[in-house]
């Protein structure tokens, strides 16, 4: 994971301008502490802060073609770079071992129409001195962050993080995932156009082995590394499958030749938290070298301002979940590990959040998964990337592999639906795909463990402690004036107010607050899903444990004995016969967990 900054079309070419670009670029040094580089051609600057994971000795940036007329700075992992290198072996002389260098021959061969040929995650800027044009692109889902802005002199600024451009741009915004910006065309355009983007309901039958194979390939390709690595392991389904598949196939990889076949796993939590116990059990089963990190509520509270600075958000759920991850990342980096695999993305693709139990039909279910995947770059991708890159640690997310996404989103959503009569709990299609009796990937009770939100799994006292702390910090009078002080995305509770107060101090510009999405949500839903259950329009806490079906009926769900009705009531019809929640206790959050962001790109152009 690296940090890039490009300033293009500056009217000022002076040393003072160069020094300013360098100063802004250094704000990204946490993303790339291993090296830095800057290219300048007249009023065009391309800077990079490097985290060396692939080819540490020869991959410094900027990258150039043979006659140094094409220049690239990139933050990316291109998993098919060796295949592309072979394709251009007779046409291009590669000067580094960087996986991102393949961007140059692809551009020289295909112009700007090559981005879909890259298999990986990336954010890059390319400048062509021959035509004095440039292009920038971001990966399909937005795993790697990117922002675009305009300076008062008309220069275009493009940066991995907002903090490198917010003070120098009169307007700026999130660079949308799956898009490229062309200076020749003067606009943004979408390069990623998958079949599911139109939200039409697919009809491909569920094929468990196809889903399993796609995921295993996604994990294996992400073991491309020249530095020590590990896996984040919460003990839930997604991280446990990442760990299991990594452990199973590690011996087949070059990484094993360099670093051995022992796999390191990492978990963070309060003493006695659900994740610590579950992760230890999975680690023992898989035989990983397991590292368990503890934190206290006070440790987390003390880190919140740093978390908001690095995450560049005031979204409540994101900050709650980022804080333990931020603390863990520092510990992991201290052990000499520079890359980890993680389980983000599965819940969005497969409808794993508990509120999906109440989807009225498969059409609404599928549309909601589409909305969730489209918004990942503002939530889980942002959290996973920025909370770890704060300490120079790279996170890779195999569930967001392009081919795995295609398989998962092509499936008839009827198979993904929660259906107790057929014994199907959330993410049943994934659980079933890895339910191998002869060569088990995981113990059954782990394979069918119910979803926890990350911020809940690290320990319920973490959320309760945050609420108690912010209750003391923010007065009732402050809340009464919240709409006057913060008319845009007004905080609806004291915790949200506290985070917003810090954010505004760090990023006081109007465009900055507009980069953060907002809107009602229930346990990570989009605002549209709130309409599924009338009683969800009543609360302001985002915790997944507050959804009606959590915990008490999970065992019955696995055995097909639970049911959910349209009023948000979940009843366990098994031997315990427990009514978990009625309509008045099923809650909604209006803190913007997955609301759609106000977007200032119109018809593919950045507004003037």
């Amino acid at each position: 994971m690296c940090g890039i900054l490009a300033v293009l079309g500056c009217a000022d070419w002076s040393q003072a301008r160069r020094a300013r670009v360098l100063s802004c670029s250094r704000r990204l040094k946490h993303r790339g502490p291993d090296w830095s580089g800057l290219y300048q051609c007249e009023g065009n600057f391309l800077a990079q802060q490097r985290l060396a994971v692939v080819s540490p000795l020869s991959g410094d940036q900027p990258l150039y073609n043979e006659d140094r007329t094409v220049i690239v700075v990139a933050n990316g992992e291109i998993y098919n770079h060796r295949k592309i290198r072979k394709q251009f072996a007779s046409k291009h002389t590669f000067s580094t071992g960087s996986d991102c260098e393949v961007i140059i021959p692809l551009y020289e061969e295909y112009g700007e129409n090559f981005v879909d040929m890259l298999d990986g995650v990336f954010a890059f800027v390319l400048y062509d001195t021959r035509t004095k044009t440039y292009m920038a692109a971001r990966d399909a889902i937005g795993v790697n962050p990117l922002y675009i802005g305009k300076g008062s002199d008309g220069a275009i600024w493009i940066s991995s993080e907002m903090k490198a451009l917010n003070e120098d741009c009169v307007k700026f915004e999130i660079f949308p995932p799956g898009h490229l910006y062309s200076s020749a065309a003067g606009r943004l355009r979408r390069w990623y156009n998958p079949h599911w983007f139109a939200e039409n309901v697919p009809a491909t039958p569920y094929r468990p082995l196809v889903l399993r194979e796609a995921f295993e390939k996604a994990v294996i390709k992400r073991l491309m590394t020249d530095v020590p690595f590990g896996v984040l392991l919460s003990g839930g389904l997604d991280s446990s499958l990442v760990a299991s598949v990594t452990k199973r196939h590690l011996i087949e990889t070059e990484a094993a030749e360099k670093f051995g076949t022992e796999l390191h796993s990492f978990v963070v939590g309060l003493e006695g938290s659900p994740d610590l116990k579950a992760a230890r059990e999975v680690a023992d089963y898989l035989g990983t070298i397991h590292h368990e990190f503890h934190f206290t509520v006070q440790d987390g509270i003390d880190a919140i301002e740093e978390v908001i600075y690095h995450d560049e958000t005031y979204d409540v759920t994101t900050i709650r979940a980022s804080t333990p991850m931020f603390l863990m990342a520092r510990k992991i980096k201290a052990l000499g590990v520079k890359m980890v695999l993680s389980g983000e993305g599965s819940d969005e693709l497969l409808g794993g959040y508990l509120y999906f139990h109440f989807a009225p039909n498969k059409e609404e279910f599928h549309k909601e998964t589409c909305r969730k995947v489209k918004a990942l770059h503002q939530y889980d991708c942002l959290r996973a990337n920025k909370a770890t890159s704060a300490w120079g640690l790279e996170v890779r997310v195999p569930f967001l592999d392009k081919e795995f996404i295609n398989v998962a989103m092509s499936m008839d959503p009827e198979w993904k639906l929660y259906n107790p009569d057929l014994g199907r709990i959330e993410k049943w299609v994934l659980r079933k795909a890895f339910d191998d009796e002869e060569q088990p990937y995981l113990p059954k009770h782990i394979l069918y463990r119910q979803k926890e939100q990350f911020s809940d799994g690290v320990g319920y006292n973490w959320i309760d402690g945050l609420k108690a702390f912010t209750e003391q910090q923010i007065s009732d009078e402050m809340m009464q004036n919240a709409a006057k002080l913060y008319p845009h995305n007004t905080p609806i509770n004291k915790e949200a107010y506290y985070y917003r107060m810090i954010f505004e101090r760090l990023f006081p510009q109007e465009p900055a607050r507009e980069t953060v999405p907002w809107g009602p949500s229930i346990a990570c839903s989009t605002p549209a899903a709130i309409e599924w259950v009338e009683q969800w329009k009543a609360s302001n806490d985002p915790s997944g444990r507050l959804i009606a079906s959590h915990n008490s009926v999970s065992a019955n769900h696995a055995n097909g004995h639970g049911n959910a009705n349209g009023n948000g009531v979940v009843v366990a019809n098994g031997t315990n016969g427990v009514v978990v929640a009625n309509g008045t206790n099923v809650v909604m959050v209006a803190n913007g967990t997955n609301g759609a962001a106000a977007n200032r790109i119109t018809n593919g152009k950045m507004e003037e």
Side-chain angles (χ1 to χ4, degrees):
M1 204 58 62
C2 306
I4 63 171
L5 172 65
V7 186
L8 302 143
C10 285
D12 177 7
W13 309 352
S14 67
Q15 178 61 32
R17 171 55 61 180
R18 181 182 177 93
R20 177 59 183 170
V21 173
L22 281 168
S23 176
C24 292
S25 176
R26 291 186 187 111
R27 296 178 186 178
L28 305 174
K29 190 176 287 186
H30 54 277
R31 298 186 62 86
D34 298 333
W35 190 249
S36 60
L38 173 65
Y39 167 84
Q40 179 184 359
C41 176
E42 299 178 343
N44 302 289
F45 303 83
L46 277 70
Q48 200 240 22
Q49 303 288 338
R50 187 185 183 206
L51 179 69
V53 174
V54 174
S55 188
L57 298 179
S58 71
D60 293 341
Q61 296 190 30
L63 301 166
Y64 303 88
N65 67 346
E66 293 90 335
D67 61 5
R68 298 175 74 88
T69 57
V70 177
I71 305 93
V72 168
V73 287
N75 167 29
E77 299 85 45
I78 311 301
Y79 301 119
N80 62 338
H81 78 104
R82 289 184 175 176
K83 180 181 178 181
I84 297 172
R85 282 174 178 268
K86 289 179 182 178
Q87 176 186 344
F88 290 99
S90 62
K91 298 181 181 180
H92 179 83
T93 301
F94 290 92
S95 60
T96 77
S98 169
D99 50 305
C100 292
E101 190 178 350
V102 298
I103 292 170
I104 293 173
L106 284 171
Y107 168 77
E108 293 183 315
E109 182 76 13
Y110 301 105
E112 295 177 346
N113 300 314
F114 69 88
V115 182
D116 200 27
M117 302 175 191
L118 299 173
D119 181 8
V121 295
F122 49 82
F124 69 84
V125 179
L126 179 151
Y127 182 71
D128 189 333
T129 63
R130 299 165 299 188
T131 59
K132 295 189 176 181
T133 59
Y134 58 88
M135 66 172 292
R138 188 178 183 189
D139 65 74
I141 303 300
V143 173
N144 287 6
L146 199 63
Y147 294 80
I148 184 169
K150 182 173 286 189
S152 59
D153 62 351
I156 296 295
W157 290 60
I158 301 170
S159 174
S160 293
E161 295 185 4
M162 186 167 63
K163 59 182 63 67
L165 56 72
N166 63 308
E167 293 179 358
D168 292 80
C169 291
V170 293
K171 55 178 178 279
F172 54 90
E173 59 190 313
I174 293 171
F175 191 112
H179 281 70
L180 67 84
Y181 180 84
S182 165
S183 69
R187 65 183 181 89
L188 284 156
R189 65 178 172 89
R190 173 168 286 283
W191 66 262
Y192 180 57
N193 295 290
H195 60 84
W196 59 268
F197 224 77
E199 302 184 6
N200 296 321
V201 179
T204 304
Y206 167 53
R207 293 174 292 177
L209 293 183
V210 172
L211 190 69
R212 182 202 293 187
E213 182 181 353
F215 182 66
E216 290 191 301
K217 286 181 178 178
V219 172
I220 292 167
K221 72 176 67 170
R222 280 161 178 77
L223 301 181
M224 175 187 81
T225 179
D226 293 320
V227 297
F229 73 98
V231 294
L232 303 185
L233 178 60
S234 70
L237 174 67
D238 304 331
S239 66
S240 297
L241 283 178
V242 171
S244 178
V245 173
T246 302
K247 181 68 175 178
R248 182 168 296 203
H249 293 284
L250 180 57
I251 194 171
E252 307 161 10
T253 68
E254 291 184 9
E257 297 175 11
K258 300 169 186 172
F259 307 110
T261 58
E262 296 286 359
L263 179 64
H264 290 258
S265 57
F266 308 95
V267 67
V268 66
L270 303 178
E271 290 277 3
S273 69
D275 281 0
L276 295 182
K277 179 181 178 182
R280 171 61 64 184
E281 186 176 7
V282 175
D284 289 345
Y285 178 82
L286 297 177
T288 67
I289 300 173
H290 192 57
H291 307 269
E292 186 175 289
F293 304 124
H294 299 165
F295 77 104
T296 66
V297 171
Q298 189 62 53
D299 292 333
I301 289 170
D302 290 343
I304 283 176
E305 182 158 340
E306 281 187 283
V307 169
I308 293 173
Y309 173 75
H310 284 288
D311 275 11
E312 302 176 323
T313 188
Y314 48 84
D315 175 66
V316 171
T317 300
T318 301
I319 295 166
R320 286 179 174 182
S322 291
T323 303
M325 199 171 198
F326 173 84
L327 296 171
M328 174 172 59
R330 188 177 191 180
K331 291 280 191 178
I332 293 172
K333 187 64 183 290
L335 294 175
V337 172
K338 294 177 78 172
M339 186 272 283
V340 290
L341 275 68
S342 190
E344 281 76 15
S346 171
D347 290 311
E348 288 76 10
L349 290 165
L350 302 174
Y353 294 109
L354 298 180
Y355 75 89
F356 275 96
H357 289 192
F358 304 101
N361 51 55
K362 71 177 186 180
E363 290 80 12
E364 283 299 314
F365 186 105
H366 179 68
K367 289 178 181 178
E368 177 70 0
T369 59
C370 293
R371 292 188 292 260
K372 288 289 294 176
V373 176
K374 291 176 184 178
L376 266 169
H377 68 287
Q378 294 178 294
Y379 298 99
D380 283 18
C381 289
L382 179 151
R383 167 184 55 78
N385 184 288
K386 292 183 178 180
T388 53
S389 65
W391 302 108
L393 178 68
E394 178 174 302
V395 167
R396 297 181 179 177
V397 284
F399 281 110
L400 295 179
D401 179 81
K402 266 200 304 183
E403 183 53 37
F404 182 79
I405 291 172
N406 288 340
V407 172
M409 297 300 281
S410 297
M411 187 191 311
D412 185 339
E414 185 72 35
W415 293 93
K416 298 180 185 178
L417 287 173
Y418 167 73
N419 191 328
D421 294 334
L422 297 176
R424 296 178 188 170
I425 61 172
E426 67 278 351
K427 289 188 292 191
W428 175 85
V429 292
L430 184 64
R431 302 175 197 271
K432 184 66 175 176
F434 284 91
D435 195 350
D436 190 324
E437 296 287 349
E438 295 183 2
Q439 294 181 303
Y441 287 80
L442 294 168
K444 288 274 191 181
H445 64 283
I446 294 293
L447 194 60
Y448 290 94
R449 184 191 183 205
Q450 192 179 62
K451 165 73 179 174
E452 293 268 12
Q453 284 196 146
F454 181 74
S455 54
D456 288 337
V458 299
Y460 291 146
N461 287 341
W462 166 232
I463 305 303
D464 296 336
L466 281 175
K467 290 179 182 179
F469 170 75
T470 55
E471 181 70 29
Q472 295 174 348
Q473 302 301 308
I474 307 300
S475 68
D476 293 341
E477 290 75 17
M478 293 167 77
M479 285 303 302
Q480 289 170 5
N481 291 316
K484 294 180 181 178
L485 189 59
Y486 305 121
H488 180 77
N489 293 347
T490 303
I492 59 160
N493 58 42
K494 292 184 177 182
E495 185 181 0
Y497 191 109
Y498 182 76
Y499 301 156
R500 181 63 174 276
M501 190 168 60
I502 295 172
F503 180 91
E504 292 284 341
R505 186 170 70 251
L506 297 170
F507 305 103
Q509 301 82 9
E510 181 66 28
R513 64 183 67 101
E514 291 177 355
T515 64
V516 181
W518 205 250
S521 176
I522 172 72
C524 293
S525 77
T526 69
I530 294 295
E531 302 302 317
W532 292 352
V533 177
E534 183 64 30
Q535 287 85 349
W536 285 353
K537 305 171 184 179
S539 181
N540 62 5
D541 192 303
S543 178
R545 60 181 150 144
L546 297 176
I547 192 80
S549 56
H550 199 276
N551 283 343
S552 299
V553 296
S554 58
N556 286 322
H557 288 168
N559 294 319
H561 298 311
N563 68 78
N565 67 32
N567 293 320
V569 180
V570 176
V571 182
N573 294 322
T575 55
N576 293 327
V578 179
V579 177
V580 177
N582 62 29
T584 59
N585 290 328
V586 183
V587 301
M588 179 279 295
V589 59
N591 75 335
T593 308
N594 262 330
N599 199 324
R600 294 189 296 112
I601 294 175
T602 306
N603 297 324
K605 293 189 176 182
M606 193 169 176
E607 290 184 0
E608 295 296 331

